[in-house]
């Protein structure tokens, strides 16, 4: 049973439900002391950076239950090359690849991949370190940019990947290091512009469930991707505790892993949580304590949830901060929730304080209906310096209308 919820750092949205703290999560000692002082019974580490930094390990060493992997297992997100090598060892289907920490070697290796080709910064790049190069010249530019510091230390090593053809979908599973529990599917929209054009972002919108990921395909993903990942990491001394967010390509040969996230993700988390009908807290606590086998299969609302990201002008480059946001009170309800992301209060005025600012999320019987409700809510907001894609859910909308 939840007594008090703390969020660090939090934002004006979650402040309606949680006590905000300015706790510095890079200071592990301070986090441990906070947990002791406030008698914390569970810590859920949301962002990827503290996971990769080993905060979960520090808390476990202090006997604080944690939902989230330790430093070694978090390499699944922290290093794309680590994940690709794991796929090789565990015979997990994925794209052909090569890892390079030398620019000249990477450039020389490009020829054998042809085009289009995928160039990835190995480390954490806030969802932006992936370039799909349509020409050899674009691939060369991407490699030059990564080794030239365009993605900071994340680009000190690169992964070159075979371009896979198919439809993308995301699948989620919870694990306590041994047991695995399916947690649903979603489909994200990574490109910044309508029609999937422009640079990659952290995600401009999503819907759940991803019906293209059928029951049979989900079973294949569990058996060929998720379970081998969990068992291999455990066997190699780095058990994974938390959520596995598998980005998938549904190819003619079956589902293949694109990459992993070590967290629920954004905007996928919003649509999953709007559909989950079970109490989340005991599920997370069971995973943290190695007792996930005691949890029954999860229950989700059969309806669709769809979310539209409202971002600040300039995103995914340098976002324009400080833009006023008004009208939120008119767009809330049981089937309509506006989740805050990059927001802040400035003298009582809600303002943009990041790249992706709000997630306007609707629940309805179909993707068409959820899309219509979400965009009606978007249009009801007063956020002059914000923008969004206008086609979230377009693939499934076309299928529902018999167009695809």
């Amino acid at each position: 049973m939840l007594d008090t919820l703390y969020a660090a750092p939090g934002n004006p949205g979650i402040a309606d439900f949680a006590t905000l703290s300015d706790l510095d999560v890079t200071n592990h000692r301070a986090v441990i002391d906070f947990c002791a002082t406030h008698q914390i019974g569970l810590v859920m580490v949301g962002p990827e950076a503290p996971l990769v930094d080993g905060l979960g390990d520090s808390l476990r060493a202090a006997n604080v239950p944690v939902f989230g992997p330790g430093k070694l297992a978090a390499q699944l997100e922290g290093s794309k090359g680590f994940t690709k090598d794991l796929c090789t060892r565990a015979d997990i289907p994925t794209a052909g690849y090569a890892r390079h920490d030398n620019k000249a070697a990477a450039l020389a290796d490009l020829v054998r991949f042809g085009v289009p080709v995928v160039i990835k910064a190995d480390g954490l790049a806030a969802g932006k370190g992936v370039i799909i190069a349509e020409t050899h010249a674009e691939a060369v530019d991407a490699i030059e940019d990564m080794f030239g510091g365009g993605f900071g230390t994340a680009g000190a090593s690169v992964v070159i990947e075979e371009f896979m053809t198919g439809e993308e979908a995301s699948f989620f599973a919870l694990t306590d290091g041994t047991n695995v529990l399916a947690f649903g599917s979603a489909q994200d929209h990574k490109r910044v512009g309508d029609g999937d054009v422009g640079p990659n972002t952290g995600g401009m919108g999503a819907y759940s469930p991803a019906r293209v990921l059928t029951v049979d395909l989900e079973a294949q993903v569990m058996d060929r991707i998720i379970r081998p990942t969990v068992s291999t990491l455990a066997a190699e001394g780095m058990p994974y505790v938390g959520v596995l967010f598998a980005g998938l390509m549904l190819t003619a040969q079956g589902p293949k892993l694109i990459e992993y996230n070590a967290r629920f993700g954004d905007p996928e988390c919003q649509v999953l949580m709007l559909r989950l009908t079970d109490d989340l807290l005991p599920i997370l606590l069971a995973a943290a304590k190695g007792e996930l086998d005691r949890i029954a299969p999860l229950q989700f609302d059969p309806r669709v949830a769809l979310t539209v990201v409202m971002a600040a002008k300039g995103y995914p480059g340098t976002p324009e901060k400080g833009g006023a946001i008004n009208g939120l009170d008119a767009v809330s309800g049981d089937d309509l929730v506006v989740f805050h992301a990059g927001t802040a209060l400035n003298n009582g005025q809600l303002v943009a304080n990041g790249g992706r600012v709000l997630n306007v999320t609707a629940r309805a019987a179909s993707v068409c209906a959820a899309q219509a409700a979400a965009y009606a809510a978007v249009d009801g907001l007063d956020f002059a310096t914000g923008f969004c894609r206008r086609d979230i859910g377009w693939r499934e909308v076309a299928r529902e209308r018999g167009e695809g």
Side-chain angles (χ1 to χ4, degrees), residues 174-176 179-181 242 283-284 286-287 289-296:
L174 308 183
T175 177
D176 59 10
N179 303 291
V180 181
L181 193 62
I283 299 168
L284 302 183
K289 292 185 172 182
E291 300 171 352
L292 205 56
D293 55 332
R294 299 185 181 183
I295 301 296

Side-chain angles (χ1 to χ4, degrees), residues 89-121:
R89 297 195 303 276
D91 195 27
I92 293 169
T94 190
Y97 74 102
R99 296 180 68 178
H100 292 286
D101 56 12
N102 176 276
K103 183 176 73 173
L107 292 171
D109 205 17
L110 271 178
V111 177
R112 70 184 176 96
F113 284 88
V115 291
V117 64
V118 182
I119 312 296
K120 297 181 176 181

Side-chain angles (χ1 to χ4, degrees), residues 25-378:
V25 297
T26 66
N27 184 338
H28 294 194
R29 183 70 257 169
V31 176
I32 291 168
D33 291 345
F34 181 94
C35 291
T37 300
H38 295 84
Q39 298 180 307
I40 300 299
L42 174 68
V43 175
M44 178 181 178
V45 184
E48 64 274 26
L51 293 170
V52 172
D53 188 44
L55 178 59
D57 297 315
S58 297
L59 288 167
R60 289 188 182 94
N63 296 314
V64 179
V66 182
F67 181 85
K71 183 173 185 176
L72 292 178
Q75 291 178 94
L76 277 184
E77 180 165 4
S79 169
K80 296 177 179 65
F82 172 88
T83 298
K84 299 297 284 192
D85 290 349
L86 175 76
C87 288
T88 297
R89 297 195 303 276
D91 195 27
I92 293 169
T94 190
Y97 74 102
R99 296 180 68 178
H100 292 286
D101 56 12
N102 176 276
K103 183 176 73 173
L107 292 171
D109 205 17
L110 271 178
V111 177
R112 70 184 176 96
F113 284 88
V115 291
V117 64
V118 182
I119 312 296
K120 297 181 176 181
D122 181 69
L124 295 177
K128 304 169 191 173
V130 178
I131 306 297
I132 300 173
E134 300 290 344
T135 67
H136 183 77
E138 288 178 5
V140 170
D141 287 345
I143 289 173
E144 295 274 6
D145 187 35
M146 288 179 187
F147 280 108
F151 294 90
T153 57
S157 177
V158 304
V159 174
I160 304 173
E161 279 190 7
E162 159 197 22
F163 179 80
M164 292 189 289
T165 301
E167 188 166 342
E168 290 189 39
S170 302
F171 183 78
F172 299 78
L174 308 183
T175 177
D176 59 10
T178 302
N179 303 291
V180 181
L181 193 62
F183 199 89
S185 65
Q187 190 168 69
D188 188 14
H189 301 65
K190 285 292 186 189
R191 300 289 188 118
V192 72
D194 288 7
D196 289 331
V197 299
N200 272 340
T201 70
M204 294 299 294
Y207 67 91
S208 173
R211 292 184 178 126
V212 68
L213 199 57
T214 64
V215 172
D216 178 62
L217 290 177
E218 286 192 1
Q220 290 183 44
V221 172
M222 286 289 281
D223 290 341
R224 301 190 62 199
I225 297 176
I226 301 296
R227 288 192 179 94
T229 298
V230 172
S231 61
T232 300
L233 289 174
E236 294 179 354
M238 40 185 157
Y240 189 104
V241 175
V243 59
L244 281 170
F245 168 174
L248 306 169
M249 185 69 76
L250 306 182
T251 74
Q253 296 78 39
K256 293 187 179 183
L257 181 69
I258 301 172
E259 61 188 31
Y260 273 123
N261 287 335
R263 54 201 162 85
F264 276 109
D266 173 18
E268 295 86 353
C269 182
Q270 286 83 350
V271 290
L272 287 167
M273 294 307 161
L274 199 58
R275 293 185 57 237
L276 180 68
T277 58
D278 289 317
D279 185 352
L280 181 64
L281 180 58
I283 299 168
L284 302 183
L285 188 59
K289 292 185 172 182
E291 300 171 352
L292 205 56
D293 55 332
R294 299 185 181 183
I295 301 296
L298 303 182
Q299 300 299 309
F300 288 87
D301 191 312
R303 291 175 293 173
V304 172
L306 183 143
T307 190
V308 176
V309 171
M310 296 198 73
K313 288 180 180 177
Y315 180 78
T318 302
E320 183 178 332
K321 295 185 178 182
I325 304 166
N326 294 296
L328 284 178
D329 291 343
V331 295
S332 62
D334 289 343
D335 294 323
L336 188 62
V337 179
V338 180
F339 293 93
H340 290 232
T343 64
L345 286 174
N346 184 2
N347 295 321
Q349 171 65 59
L350 187 69
V351 298
N353 191 44
R356 291 180 297 164
V357 181
L358 300 170
N359 286 73
V360 182
T361 312
R363 183 172 52 201
S366 68
V367 174
C368 288
Q371 184 194 61
Y375 281 115
V378 165

